[in-house]
Amino acid sequence: MTRMRGTPVLLFLLVWMSAAWFGSWEFNPNNATRLFAAISLVEDGDAVIDEFAPMTIDKAEFDGHVYLDKAPGMTLMALPAVALATWATGERSAGIEKSMIDPRMGPFLRLRLRLAAASGPALLTAIAAVLLYDLALGLTGSAAAALFAALGYALGTPIWGWSTTITGHSPVAALYVIAVWAFHRAAASGRGGPMLLGGLALGWAVVVEYQAVLAGSAIAIWAAWNIRSHPNRTRLLALAIAGGVAGLLPLLAYNLIAFGTPFRIAYAGVKGFEGMHQGLFGLTMPKVPVLFEILFGDRRGLFWVAPVLLFAPLGLAALADVRRTRAIGLMAMAVVTIALLVNAAYVYWDGGNATGPRHAMPLAGLFSLGLATFWSELKHEWQRWASAALLGLSMAINLIVAAAEIFAPPEYRFPLWSAVFDLRFRRGDMRTWPSEWLGWTTWHGFELYLACALPLLSLLIWRIRRGFS
């Protein structure tokens, strides 16, 4: 039993530590506006961010007041971290000038951001990596294939970097994995608990990012199909629906506190981004040239920042080609396709400041499921070595991204090199917790990470090669 538990525990520790070790800029509007709303809720009991408005371009206005302009899920997830920091330090925003030039504002926000990222996105990604490992192990029977998929997802894509922020991209990807794992487990066991968990994960994903309902619907349809012949299908379906409703309730509660009505969408009040008034809050029709840029373009191309995912379509095709796994393979394909089409239909498809196609990243977990099938079908040792090398390259790329810059400025061509490596990483312009809180140099903080992470990774590989799962 100890052997069976060891690999998931090591995997969890490696992924969580890797995400929590690094950080993103606290004044980036995507981080800041979510933090401002969380601070207001903790300190004042309301969601108004009037006093913080000059510090962010991401905001909504209603009835003469300024609010968070996004789905509130990440703000709600940040509340415990903000409350803990306020209690532990006794420091409140009221005593700090609302300006980036006030030397107290940076550390004030940074502490809350780091705690929120470590207890939110980093934690969810680590959990999802373990569940993806378990799911892939069950589907392929290969611990090596399962580890290949889990590492590819969590550390071989920009999910790593997005897990250092409090944006919704990595949490939605993780919640999709959690939902699929739970529904798959429920279909196999007939137990109601996993159905409840799966519904809860999908409901919460919508609170984090409203558009998560689109790809999430494919998961829900697959889950209902999976239990169609089960004698307790009505009860199981009711539990999934109950979980979904429970997951959505915090959204209604936030809207009541913020706006006095449960049915207001913050996007309706966005200021400064006129494209949000096109189509459905910025979603129009998918565009083929944009889709190409999302996958292959030198500015945002997915396969530049996550080359290991080049194997994923082959793996998903193989998954869908076998009767036993056809349904889950087709569902994963649907989720990936919907996520890409949603990104290609969005007016601001490139995400502004971003390393890679951030709006497409919810596909990462289920796309990476294909990596497990791909690995399991490799026949020759040289193929496995070559695939492992590409995974290693992907992990190295995303280590640099997570350490240096997940929010690459939009004006750079091939930002992976120019804005991330050359401008930031090569010069030691990184964010690690030892350099931010212990006074270490950034390179020493980076080297300490390697000293902790490489033994964990080596132990994981050793266990798999010894036949432990």
Side-chain angles (χ1 to χ4, degrees):
M1 183 64 68
T2 302
R3 287 182 175 182
M4 292 296 289
R5 290 176 180 170
T7 298
V9 169
L10 290 172
L11 178 61
F12 175 89
L13 290 175
L14 174 62
V15 172
W16 180 82
M17 181 192 70
S18 296
W21 197 279
F22 303 105
S24 59
W25 189 40
E26 57 274 7
F27 289 116
N28 180 278
N30 279 284
N31 285 323
T33 194
R34 291 176 166 96
L35 271 182
F36 296 155
I39 292 166
S40 182
L41 284 166
V42 168
E43 295 184 357
D44 304 322
D46 62 43
V48 177
I49 60 170
D50 290 349
E51 64 274 32
F52 295 103
M55 297 176 63
T56 179
I57 59 173
D58 288 356
K59 50 197 169 189
E61 293 184 20
F62 296 100
D63 305 320
H65 292 289
V66 180
Y67 298 88
L68 169 72
D69 66 337
K70 308 177 189 304
M74 298 311 301
T75 285
L76 298 176
M77 286 178 64
L79 290 178
V82 172
L84 175 62
T86 301
W87 171 80
T89 64
E91 191 175 22
R92 299 170 65 90
S93 65
I96 303 175
E97 181 184 348
K98 306 304 184 293
S99 169
M100 296 183 188
I101 63 174
D102 189 314
R104 296 170 297 171
M105 181 55 75
F108 178 86
L109 293 179
R110 190 178 308 128
L111 173 62
R112 286 149 180 80
L113 175 61
R114 298 295 180 267
L115 290 175
S119 60
L123 183 62
L124 277 176
T125 296
I127 292 170
V130 170
L131 297 185
L132 183 64
Y133 172 87
D134 185 70
L135 179 63
L137 180 61
L139 291 173
T140 66
S142 167
L147 184 63
F148 186 70
L151 291 177
Y153 153 64
L155 301 181
T157 73
I159 286 295
W160 185 349
W162 294 119
S163 298
T164 70
T165 76
I166 56 171
T167 62
H169 313 307
S170 69
V172 171
L175 289 164
Y176 283 167
V177 171
I178 292 168
V180 169
W181 176 88
F183 288 140
H184 183 74
R185 180 62 62 92
S189 67
R191 292 188 299 151
M195 288 298 286
L196 187 69
L197 173 61
L200 183 65
L202 288 185
W204 185 249
V206 176
V207 182
V208 172
E209 293 284 358
Y210 296 130
Q211 65 269 29
V213 70
L214 299 173
S217 295
I219 298 174
I221 292 169
W222 164 78
W225 173 265
N226 262 2
I227 60 169
R228 67 192 184 282
S229 301
H230 197 281
N232 293 325
R233 60 184 177 276
T234 302
R235 172 177 168 271
L236 293 175
L237 189 58
L239 285 169
I241 293 171
V245 171
L248 288 170
L249 287 178
L251 170 62
L252 304 182
Y254 170 85
N255 284 344
L256 276 173
I257 293 171
F259 310 120
T261 172
F263 303 113
R264 175 170 282 178
I265 300 295
Y267 285 141
V270 168
K271 297 297 180 183
F273 294 90
E274 295 307 314
M276 294 299 294
H277 301 294
Q278 297 181 29
L280 180 63
F281 301 117
L283 290 179
T284 57
M285 292 295 294
K287 301 169 184 64
V288 174
V290 170
L291 185 59
F292 179 86
E293 288 295 323
I294 290 168
L295 292 173
F296 304 106
D298 61 1
R299 289 182 61 241
R300 293 291 182 266
L302 176 64
F303 294 124
W304 287 106
V305 290
V308 72
L309 290 182
L310 286 166
F311 297 142
L314 301 174
L316 288 185
L319 200 64
D321 195 44
V322 177
R323 181 181 179 88
R324 180 178 69 90
T325 59
R326 181 167 299 144
I328 195 169
L330 292 174
M331 177 274 298
M333 287 181 180
V335 169
V336 171
T337 301
I338 292 169
L340 288 172
L341 292 177
V342 168
N343 193 173
Y346 188 40
V347 172
Y348 301 110
W349 67 268
D350 66 347
N353 285 36
T355 305
R358 67 185 181 94
H359 293 301
M361 290 319 300
L363 62 75
L366 295 181
F367 205 16
S368 297
L369 185 61
L371 296 178
T373 315
F374 171 81
W375 179 277
S376 69
E377 298 207 337
L378 296 177
K379 304 300 183 185
H380 304 289
E381 189 70 13
W382 71 265
Q383 294 173 324
R384 286 186 281 273
W385 277 106
S387 300
L390 192 60
L391 172 60
L393 173 62
S394 292
M395 291 171 64
I397 288 170
N398 286 286
L399 168 59
I400 292 170
V401 170
E405 186 60 271
I406 190 63
F407 289 109
E411 62 267 20
Y412 286 85
R413 301 300 300 182
F414 200 60
L416 185 59
W417 172 263
S418 56
V420 178
F421 182 82
D422 191 47
L423 184 65
R424 301 286 189 191
F425 182 79
R426 185 174 63 85
R427 304 178 187 188
D429 189 357
M430 297 178 282
R431 297 180 180 90
T432 72
W433 72 262
S435 59
E436 290 183 335
W437 305 112
L438 301 181
W440 292 28
T441 69
T442 56
W443 282 118
H444 285 151
F446 185 81
E447 290 161 3
L448 181 61
Y449 166 75
L450 293 178
C452 296
L454 290 178
L456 276 176
L457 179 60
S458 300
L459 185 55
L460 271 170
I461 295 171
W462 176 83
R463 287 182 60 86
I464 296 301
R465 291 181 66 87
R466 291 290 300 270
F468 299 158
S469 58

